[in-house]
Each structure stands twice: as structure tokens, then as C-alpha cells.
Amino acid sequence: MVRRVAFMGAAACVCVFSLCALAAVQGSAPKQTIVLKAARMITAVDDTVVKNGVVIIEGGRIKAVGAALEIPANAKVIDLGDATLLPGLIDAHTHLLSEMDGTNLRLQDVEMLRIVATQSTAQRALLGAKLGREDLEAGITTVRDVGNSGVNGDVALRRAIERGWVPGPRMITSTRALAAQGGQFGQLIPEAQKIIEQEYVTIHGAESARQAVRQALYDGATCIKVIVNGSPANVTLEEMKAIVEEAHTSGVKVAAHAIGDGPTRIAAEAGVDSIEHAYVVKDDVLKMMAEKHIYLVPTDGTLKTFEDMSFGTRQPTEAERANAAAEFGPYVKLIQDRLRRAIKFGVPIAAGSDMYLSMPGLNRGQASLLLYEAYAEAGMTPMQIIHAATRDAAELLGMKDRVGTLEAGKLADIIAVPGDPLNDIKALEHTKFVMKGGMVILEKE
Ligand SMILES: [Zn+2]
């Protein structure tokens, strides 16, 4: 979570969570062979588009992928018509157990305090069940959830989804983020500081950092999240190196929240696996990231979404809108420039929404997909965006052997969107079909 503004919009969704899907979340993948057909298919293995795409699914996995394949006898055929088949989308930066009121951007410190002080981890896990289902129905079949989930609430949600208790995306979970003194709460009086450990694990030196990683792994973390920016003291390079070494020893990756020259440099030098946000970052740090294959997770928004969000459902006056444009415009230009520089230097990109706000008119899944418009406005091509949200995010999550592309042997996490997303990236905001592990989650006319 970051002091950042995000999105809103007005699309309405008719989600069909079918009885079949309800049965599916409680059981295993259907035995019957399923065949998906559509006018186009993007496997995300490379840049090619397959005309008349066909995917054959058996036992929850992809058996064959190609153009106009022969349909096995007795298979159930789902013909999606003028649509594009794609791998299920991956959101590499979620906070499914957190929903802030977004209409007052300047009170986010207070809003976080309110949530942590008034919502139990159990309540937040139930919120996560709702938001996770919204993600899944929007076509996001895998997420990396990076903290702000109480004490291990994310692990509880992940296990509930894995056991089929609730529908939701596959999850990588960090448990509480590691942080310098104070976490991200701003300055609290001494009597209130006990609350910090409900949301963050503060570290004090390299050995404390190692211990925090070991505790996170014991608590069920499948990645480690570190907030490098502190106020005022950042996590140090020595601490960061200890975290990376300890996590990598157990085969777990490290995501670093870092903004500004100092924190991004510490994260890159320590060899983390991804740097989140990096709204402000120097060229030589980006070059180091490219060299070390450190992902940038650009949690970006468009000017329109920043403006919309400032006003919630209220219609602003012309003057208010102009003020918002004057305030957010330069910021949006700045982050677009850093995304272009990152791509120019060859920094790998994984799509991550960082959506943690309630967005009037949009559910969590819908709001999370607006991210792609921000990438497009910065100059990414639709194919680059699709790779960042599928194949490349799967690599960052350590899941490329299972998800991220349409290939024989992979889990059958497949979506279909109307028309051709290479013509208009907004097609990804209108998913009409979702399959997870061979089970149909959503099918719209
Ligand atoms: Zn975040």
C-alpha cells in the first residue's frame, strides 16, 4: 500500500457465478474434456495471434493449444465467437484484505489507523473473500498479495481458496510487510504504537531482519514484502541484504516498496526480485534492475482516474477539476516518463494494481483492471501490457511452470474478452469468460 491515489469509474457488471461454478469451487476439476474456441487467441508465449484459436482442457490442465484443432469426441465445446482467448490475468500487487475510503486522499494515514484499530483479521479475511471473488470474476486468476492484511489474514484467505471454501484467485502471500520503525502509519504517540505490529513487522538491524523473514515463512508467507521507505529512517542496505539472503535461501522471492533514489538503490543493490512503485528512480538504478533482472511493478493510474477518484460520486465544479488536473498532471507525466525509461533500459515489467480503495461504481476486480489504461497512455503496446499481466508476472511470482501462458501442461486458467485487445486494451476490462483450473467461473452472453 502506498500513499497514492487510484481509480474510479462507472461500468456495471452482470456477473454470472453459476451453480456449476459453485459446485466447482467445492470440488475438483471436471473429468469431461472441455474445448474452448474463439476467433482469436493470444497464448502470451510470444507476440503471435492465433486465428480460430482452440484450447483443449482435460483434468484441469491444458492438453493442447492451436488453430482449428480437431475436437475430441464427447468433449464439451464452448464457442466464444468473436472473442480473444488469453491466459488468466495476474495482478502482481494486491491488497485483498484492505479497502480504504478513497475520497479523501489526504487522510490515508488516518484511514489505515481506523481499519487496523476497528477490523479484526477475521473480518478482513472475509472482506478478502469478497474482493478475491471480484478479482476472479474480472479475469484475474492469480494475485501476489503484498501485505496490509492484519496478522496472517492473507494466509487464511489463500488456504480457504485452495481448499475450495470460497472462490478466488491463486494467491502468493507475504504476511505482514517488514518495515523500519513505525511501518506506514506516520507518527503515532507512544501509547498508540502497539498497533503498528498488527500490520507491519518492524526490524532493527540485520539479525532482526533475518528473524522477521524466518517468522514470516513460519507464518505461511510465500513471498516477502519490505517497505524500504521509512519515515524518517529507511530500511538499511545491510538489513535489506540480510532479508534477501534469508528469503532466497528458502526459495522465496522479495518484493520491495521503494520510491526515490535512496530506497530504490538499496533495494536494487540488495538484489530483490521486484521493486514496487518506484515513481521516482534514477536511470542508473533502472539499468541495475535490468542487469539483475529485477522487475518493476508500476502501480500506476491515469490522470482521469486520479481526478475521478478525488471526487467519488460527487460532480466537481470546473474550478475543482482544474485544480485536480494541476495537482495530478505533473505527477502522472513523471510516472509515465519513468515507465518509458524502464522499458527503454530493458527492465522487466510485471503488472500490479495496488488497488486498495473503494471505487464508486466499480468492484475491486473492475477497478484493478484500469491499470492497463495507464500503461497504454505511457506508451506500452497492448502486447507488452498483456505480457506484463500474464507471462512475465508469472515469472516474477515463481509460477511460470504452472500459469501465465496458454501451453500444453499448464493449469487451465483461461479468459476470453470480446473483440481484439490488440486494437483496444480496454477489452481486458470486459472479460466475458473465466476458467480457473479447468472450472468455469463465469460465462456471459
Ligand atoms: Zn501496495
Side-chain angles (χ1 to χ4, degrees):
M1 193 170 306
V2 60
R3 309 290 177 274
R4 182 187 71 89
V5 281
F7 316 110
M8 85 148 234
C13 173
V14 187
C15 286
V16 182
F17 192 73
S18 65
L19 282 177
C20 153
L22 266 176
V25 295
Q26 289 158 0
S28 54
K31 298 234 176 344
Q32 190 187 14
T33 300
I34 300 176
V35 174
L36 303 180
K37 295 170 68 177
R40 285 163 299 278
M41 175 169 66
I42 295 170
T43 64
V45 174
D46 52 31
D47 285 358
T48 57
V49 179
V50 180
K51 287 236 164 78
N52 299 316
V54 176
V55 187
I56 300 174
I57 298 124
E58 256 181 36
R61 287 184 182 267
I62 297 172
K63 189 166 180 232
V65 179
L69 298 179
E70 196 181 323
I71 310 291
N74 303 322
K76 180 187 175 195
V77 179
I78 302 175
D79 190 341
L80 296 153
D82 182 25
T84 304
L85 289 164
L86 296 146
L89 301 170
I90 299 172
D91 190 339
H93 190 124
T94 64
H95 297 288
L96 290 181
L97 281 72
S98 206
E99 187 169 57
M100 289 189 178
D101 178 351
T103 50
N104 196 337
L105 301 178
R106 284 159 196 80
L107 286 178
Q108 286 198 27
D109 288 357
V110 178
E111 178 64 354
M112 182 154 80
L113 201 54
R114 181 188 69 80
I115 287 174
V116 177
T118 63
Q119 297 179 4
S120 66
T121 297
Q123 187 178 341
R124 295 175 70 175
L126 290 168
L127 168 70
K130 170 185 179 285
L131 302 181
R133 174 172 161 174
E134 289 169 357
D135 265 17
L136 183 61
E137 290 178 347
I140 299 165
T141 51
T142 300
V143 303
R144 187 180 62 162
D145 202 74
V146 283
N148 297 108
S149 44
V151 180
N152 312 329
D154 52 350
V155 176
L157 177 62
R158 188 189 83 216
R159 288 180 178 152
I161 292 170
E162 286 169 355
R163 289 167 190 178
W165 298 351
V166 294
R170 303 179 196 284
M171 291 181 74
I172 297 284
T173 51
S174 70
T175 69
R176 284 174 293 173
L178 280 45
Q181 196 74 38
Q184 291 185 293
F185 278 99
Q187 195 166 19
L188 302 183
I189 59 169
E191 293 84 347
Q193 288 177 19
K194 233 175 101 182
I195 206 168
I196 293 164
E197 298 288 326
Q198 288 297 309
E199 199 76 346
Y200 300 94
V201 175
T202 56
I203 55 169
H204 311 277
E207 193 44 44
S208 156
R210 285 183 193 281
Q211 171 56 27
V213 173
R214 290 193 284 263
Q215 182 70 46
L217 297 174
Y218 175 78
D219 288 343
T222 49
C223 74
I224 298 296
K225 168 83 178 293
V226 189
I227 312 293
V228 185
N229 290 72
S231 66
N234 296 327
V235 170
T236 66
L237 178 59
E238 190 197 11
E239 289 165 338
M240 202 67 226
K241 280 182 171 168
I243 289 166
V244 171
E245 189 182 280
E246 197 68 36
H248 285 182
T249 298
S250 294
V252 170
K253 300 198 184 200
V254 178
H257 163 122
I259 299 162
D261 185 36
T264 55
R265 195 174 295 278
I266 286 168
E269 277 183 15
V272 300
D273 298 279
S274 65
I275 297 185
E276 319 293 303
H277 323 302
Y279 302 128
V280 177
V281 57
K282 293 224 165 113
D283 282 354
D284 66 316
V285 174
L286 289 171
K287 285 175 186 164
M288 195 183 346
M289 289 170 69
E291 228 165 77
K292 294 184 171 187
H293 199 65
I294 295 172
Y295 272 86
L296 171 65
V297 180
T299 51
D300 297 357
T302 64
L303 177 59
K304 180 180 185 309
T305 50
F306 285 134
E307 284 178 5
D308 286 350
M309 213 207 65
S310 313
F311 305 113
T313 52
R314 182 172 71 79
Q315 281 299 319
T317 65
E318 278 308 308
E320 283 175 322
R321 192 167 282 284
N323 281 345
E327 183 179 353
F328 297 123
Y331 173 71
V332 169
K333 280 203 167 54
L334 178 98
I335 62 176
Q336 288 179 343
D337 171 66
R338 79 91 169 69
L339 183 51
R340 281 193 289 270
R341 285 186 290 129
I343 289 169
K344 184 175 82 183
F345 298 136
V347 178
I349 307 290
S353 70
D354 196 24
M355 182 51 61
Y356 56 84
L357 299 155
S358 60
M359 302 295 297
L362 294 180
N363 70 29
R364 176 61 63 89
Q366 294 164 334
S368 300
L369 299 178
L370 294 177
L371 176 74
Y372 307 143
E373 290 182 38
Y375 292 170
E377 283 189 10
M380 285 178 79
T381 66
M383 190 58 90
Q384 282 177 323
I385 295 169
I386 288 167
H387 280 146
T390 56
R391 181 192 68 188
D392 298 347
E395 188 197 52
L396 169 60
L397 270 57
M399 296 178 77
K400 69 174 179 179
D401 57 330
R402 284 159 284 164
V403 301
T405 57
L406 301 182
E407 285 180 280
K410 294 236 172 140
L411 295 168
D413 290 1
I414 304 167
I415 64 165
V417 302
D420 185 352
L422 299 186
N423 288 338
D424 183 2
I425 197 66
K426 287 183 190 169
L428 295 183
E429 295 167 22
H430 304 287
T431 305
K432 59 180 280 190
F433 176 85
V434 181
M435 171 179 275
K436 180 188 164 202
M439 297 181 286
V440 177
I441 302 295
L442 172 137
E443 196 177 351
K444 281 195 247 175
E445 283 307 309

